[in-house]
Amino acid sequence: MKYLTFLLSLYIAATTAFAPQSSPSITSRTSTSSLAATIEFVRGLTEKDVPDVKLTRARDGSSGIATFTFDSPNCFDASTAEAGEITGMFMMDEEGEISTTDVNAKFANGKPQQITATYVMSSPAEWDRFMRFMESYGEANGLGFNKA
């Protein structure tokens, strides 16, 4: 953790975030693409909780980090327990899949409460691909982009 903090303090130029819009202007959404962007922790089980996403990027644009925070993920529900184990975070859209295995759960009184997942982008091409995913995911889930 200290190493990550050190790296962030050296390379971060700006902090940006995707967060649910406080007052969406459209109450119902329909997807025109055949594959809506989704996030899964368990293969085949779409995560319904919309995360708070914080982005950091190096000054030169060569790398970046996306931190996802899910406050009430449905993969913890008793009804979904038989679907399988959490093996990573899988972000899927019409272009394919991007994934990370850096997934951590927070517990309170012995019960899982929150998931934090970190996706590291080590090239401008990975950053661009991630931003295309987030644009698609944001449209499907009512997220807005706020530059800090």
Side-chain angles (χ1 to χ4, degrees), residues 63-77:
S63 63
I65 298 173
T67 304
F68 292 77
T69 304
F70 296 83
D71 288 325
S72 300
N74 62 292
C75 62
F76 290 151
D77 294 344

Side-chain angles (χ1 to χ4, degrees), residues 111-147:
K111 295 180 183 176
Q113 300 294 314
Q114 184 181 70
I115 288 181
T116 302
T118 304
Y119 176 65
V120 178
M121 297 154 278
S122 55
S123 71
E126 287 180 359
W127 176 270
D128 291 341
R129 169 65 178 101
F130 175 78
M131 292 305 288
R132 289 192 306 273
F133 168 80
M134 284 306 298
E135 182 177 336
S136 178
Y137 186 77
E139 287 174 7
N141 293 285
L143 291 175
F145 181 75
N146 301 318
K147 189 170 185 174

Side-chain angles (χ1 to χ4, degrees), residues 19-61:
Q21 295 175 344
S22 58
S23 57
S25 57
I26 301 173
T27 55
S28 65
R29 298 184 184 269
T30 56
S31 176
T32 57
S33 68
S34 60
L35 265 178
T38 60
I39 295 177
E40 296 179 354
F41 291 106
V42 177
R43 294 281 189 183
L45 180 64
T46 300
E47 182 55 53
K48 294 178 177 86
D49 186 33
V50 178
D52 180 40
V53 183
K54 295 189 187 324
L55 300 174
T56 57
R57 191 171 190 188
R59 291 182 198 275
D60 63 1

